Amino acid sequence: MDPMFTMASVSNVQFADATVDGTAPTVLNSIRIVANGKFNPDFDPGTQAEDRDELTQQIWNVRPGTPTYKVTVSAAKVSLGDVAAFTGATVVGNTLSIGSSFIAPKPKYLKVTGFNVDGQQVTMIGHKCYVSAKWSGAVGAAQEIVSLELTFLMTLSNAAPPKIFDYTVGAYK
């Protein structure tokens, strides 16, 4: 892939609940990434599945597998308040209280902003993503900074025509 199109670092992840009609939400919350985050798309076309005859074990049919559109954003330093806002947790003083899981209960509209190796802004928008968050790594003495890994499973939006994602080099319009 051309390095111009590759998101080399992530600086911001914006999110809101996905809209029913597939339009972009008017207000987005933000997770500001303090240190350079990593962006890893994993678009798997799906493997082929074989149907075999029970007696001869010969293949008589081949079906395409299910494709997966997954993106992982890793951030070494994120503010605890941003993590709490995203996961629905609460922060009181030095106490973080998290409910049942780090999996967002509703699909999210996500806008990931970063830069390519040439310093140009790159933006990826996932129109309807199911998100899980993994919290792993060091926490500051006052618990103000944490590391966070977000995994987005992208699905078709409710827009007409449906979209999975947009990826733009340069300022997103």
Side-chain angles (χ1 to χ4, degrees), residues 112-136:
V112 179
T113 306
F115 296 93
N116 65 12
V117 293
D118 294 333
Q120 292 176 297
Q121 183 176 320
V122 181
T123 304
M124 188 215 74
I125 291 185
H127 296 273
K128 186 179 179 185
C129 304
Y130 290 87
V131 185
S132 63
K134 177 182 175 185
W135 178 16
S136 174

Side-chain angles (χ1 to χ4, degrees), residues 8-148:
S9 67
V10 176
S11 56
N12 194 10
V13 175
Q14 294 175 292
F15 64 94
D17 288 344
T19 58
V20 175
D21 62 358
T23 58
T26 53
V27 177
L28 297 174
N29 296 313
S30 187
I31 298 176
R32 189 176 66 85
I33 298 173
V34 179
N36 282 343
K38 294 179 183 175
F39 179 80
N40 181 37
D42 185 11
F43 299 160
D44 183 0
T47 58
Q48 294 178 333
E50 303 168 346
D51 292 327
R52 292 180 178 261
D53 182 272
E54 285 185 38
L55 296 174
T56 64
Q57 291 301 306
Q58 296 299 311
I59 299 169
W60 61 274
N61 188 32
V62 176
R63 293 174 276 114
T66 305
T68 302
Y69 298 95
K70 179 173 78 170
V71 170
T72 302
V73 172
S74 301
K77 295 180 180 178
V78 176
S79 80
L80 195 59
D82 287 350
V83 173
F86 183 79
T87 61
T90 56
V91 179
V92 178
N94 286 335
T95 302
L96 172 70
S97 297
I98 297 172
S100 61
S101 81
F102 266 37
I103 296 174
K106 294 180 181 176
K108 301 285 184 192
Y109 174 94
L110 291 154
K111 181 177 177 182
V112 179
T113 306
F115 296 93
N116 65 12
V117 293
D118 294 333
Q120 292 176 297
Q121 183 176 320
V122 181
T123 304
M124 188 215 74
I125 291 185
H127 296 273
K128 186 179 179 185
C129 304
Y130 290 87
V131 185
S132 63
K134 177 182 175 185
W135 178 16
S136 174
V139 178
Q143 296 186 0
E144 73 279 8
I145 302 279
V146 298
S147 61
L148 186 67

Side-chain angles (χ1 to χ4, degrees), residues 43 69 125-129 154-157 162-166:
F43 299 160
Y69 298 95
I125 291 185
H127 296 273
K128 186 179 179 185
C129 304
M154 293 188 272
T155 62
L156 286 171
S157 71
K163 287 185 177 181
I164 292 179
F165 68 96
D166 290 325

